[in-house]
Amino acid sequence: MEGADVLGIDPGIGATGYGLVRFVGAHRDAPFLLECGVLKTSPKKKTPERLREIYDLVLGLIQKHSPRALVVEKAFYGKSVSVAMTIGQARGAAILAAANLGLPVYEFSAREVKQAVTGNGAADKTQVQYMIGQLLSLKSPPDSPDACDALAVALTYHFRSKVPVGAGLVSARSTKL
Amino acid sequence: MEGADVLGIDPGIGATGYGLVRFVGAHRDAPFLLECGVLKTSPKKKTPERLREIYDLVLGLIQKHSPRALVVEKAFYGKSVSVAMTIGQARGAAILAAANLGLPVYEFSAREVKQAVTGNGAADKTQVQYMIGQLLSLKSPPDSPDACDALAVALTYHFRSKVPVGAGLVSARSTKL
């Protein structure tokens, strides 16, 4: 099953959610939670050090699991300019880790992610969290909303591809960064 | 004079200006242009590859010149959210290169930079460009506004420090990222 894993990242300077999903079964279409969590960086630390922690997290996860893709949520343009700049820096750190290891990066909008995992593009966080638990057959979904968001975007890559991930194809509707 | 150089970067996904200034003389207070230019990344390339080019540029410049600091302009909040996100990613790539090599990063606002190099915090690009030529004793300033902005922020680090750069001190008014 090597190479069939997908790494979802929800980058933020203070909290970066991550989730690794493996697709198992004859058609490699049964999602299975490998690992998820959230990296919190201390606000007492300087920005370069916090970015480095995010970069090292993503680098380490890729090296540990050899996923076939990194998936991130598309930039959310509803936020303020200063928030966008800060998220952009964290997002850049995560994307760079993938780029430096030659891993392809895909992105989906928040609406696409919600649509894919709940069937409703305007679903709220609670619905997404609930569906993550259902889709991954967990007793209860991860507590961290950031980890859930990361898992949701990883699952979206799979759902949107419409073919087994192992086949190496992704729907034309997905956006490769 | 090793370690007295300052690297200024004006990061952007399409064009990243860079400028290396060495401070020479008995008091290490005479700025001298080592190298400057602009890296343009192709819009045909994917974002991860463009970020990687920016990262590699900054990494290469640091490895080549061993500057004592990387200096960038503070996030400019007047721009749109989508522009801020894009600049943030490029900025993250530049900052990460410094962080991964253990180089300190400083930032100044656009107003501080203009004030430092022209004496007028509201100066226009032409004035900044002109003063870069004067301050670095160039026959003519660099054509690229991005390279000029990078040199301007590098010079600001020096001017704002108020002590010879070689002394290893920076004014409390500067912001270490």
Side-chain angles (χ1 to χ4, degrees):
Chain A
M1 208 54 61
E2 272 287 300
D5 306 340
V6 175
L7 171 59
I9 293 282
D10 179 30
I13 191 72
T16 292
Y18 60 93
L20 262 141
V21 180
R22 175 165 292 180
F23 296 91
V24 295
H27 300 288
R28 292 188 178 177
D29 55 2
F32 169 81
L33 172 63
L34 275 183
E35 183 179 350
C36 75
V38 56
L39 168 80
K40 300 211 171 180
T41 68
S42 165
K44 288 179 186 165
K45 289 184 179 170
K46 302 288 183 186
T47 297
E49 197 175 341
R50 299 172 87 182
L51 291 178
R52 191 179 179 174
E53 285 179 16
I54 296 165
Y55 176 83
D56 286 346
L57 166 79
V58 179
L59 209 66
L61 287 167
I62 296 171
Q63 285 167 335
K64 181 176 170 191
H65 294 281
S66 301
R68 57 177 291 109
L70 172 73
V71 196
V72 289
E73 231 180 60
K74 234 175 244 178
F76 176 41
Y77 296 130
K79 293 186 179 164
S80 77
V81 172
S82 63
V83 169
M85 177 76 73
T86 306
I87 292 180
Q89 291 186 175
R91 209 167 176 268
I95 293 172
L96 249 183
N100 280 345
L101 292 176
L103 194 72
V105 182
Y106 295 86
E107 63 171 5
F108 297 97
S109 71
R111 170 163 282 275
E112 288 170 310
V113 173
K114 288 172 181 173
Q115 177 67 37
V117 302
T118 73
N120 171 11
D124 63 20
K125 291 241 173 224
T126 319
Q127 270 179 279
V128 171
Q129 204 157 3
Y130 170 78
M131 283 309 299
I132 291 303
Q134 295 300 109
L135 292 165
L136 293 170
S137 311
L138 307 174
K139 280 185 187 165
S140 62
D143 287 334
S144 156
D146 298 308
C148 280
D149 284 349
L151 289 166
V153 77
L155 286 169
T156 301
Y157 172 84
H158 173 67
F159 290 142
R160 289 292 294 272
S161 74
K162 291 182 191 134
V163 292
V165 168
L169 289 173
V170 173
S171 152
R173 283 165 67 210
S174 72
T175 308
K176 188 174 177 192
L177 268 182
Chain B
M1 208 55 60
E2 273 286 301
D5 306 341
V6 175
L7 172 58
I9 293 283
D10 180 30
I13 191 72
T16 292
Y18 61 92
L20 263 141
V21 180
R22 174 165 293 179
F23 296 90
V24 295
H27 299 288
R28 291 188 177 176
D29 56 1
F32 169 81
L33 173 63
L34 274 184
E35 183 178 350
C36 76
V38 56
L39 169 80
K40 300 211 171 180
T41 69
S42 166
K44 289 178 187 166
K45 290 185 179 168
K46 302 287 184 187
T47 298
E49 197 176 341
R50 299 172 87 182
L51 291 179
R52 192 180 179 173
E53 285 179 16
I54 295 165
Y55 177 82
D56 286 345
L57 166 79
V58 179
L59 210 65
L61 288 167
I62 295 171
Q63 285 167 333
K64 182 176 169 190
H65 293 282
S66 302
R68 57 177 291 109
L70 172 72
V71 196
V72 288
E73 231 180 60
K74 234 175 241 177
F76 177 40
Y77 296 130
K79 294 187 178 162
S80 77
V81 171
S82 63
V83 169
M85 178 75 74
T86 307
I87 293 181
Q89 292 186 175
R91 208 165 176 269
I95 292 172
L96 249 183
N100 280 345
L101 292 176
L103 195 71
V105 181
Y106 294 86
E107 63 172 3
F108 298 97
S109 71
R111 171 164 281 276
E112 288 171 308
V113 173
K114 288 172 180 174
Q115 176 67 37
V117 301
T118 73
N120 172 10
D124 62 21
K125 290 242 174 223
T126 319
Q127 270 180 278
V128 171
Q129 205 156 3
Y130 170 79
M131 284 308 299
I132 291 303
Q134 295 299 108
L135 292 165
L136 294 170
S137 312
L138 307 174
K139 279 185 187 166
S140 62
D143 286 336
S144 156
D146 299 307
C148 280
D149 284 349
L151 289 167
V153 78
L155 286 170
T156 301
Y157 171 83
H158 173 66
F159 290 142
R160 291 292 294 273
S161 74
K162 293 188 190 131
V163 291
V165 168
L169 290 172
V170 173
S171 151
R173 281 165 68 208
S174 72
T175 309
K176 189 174 177 192
L177 268 180

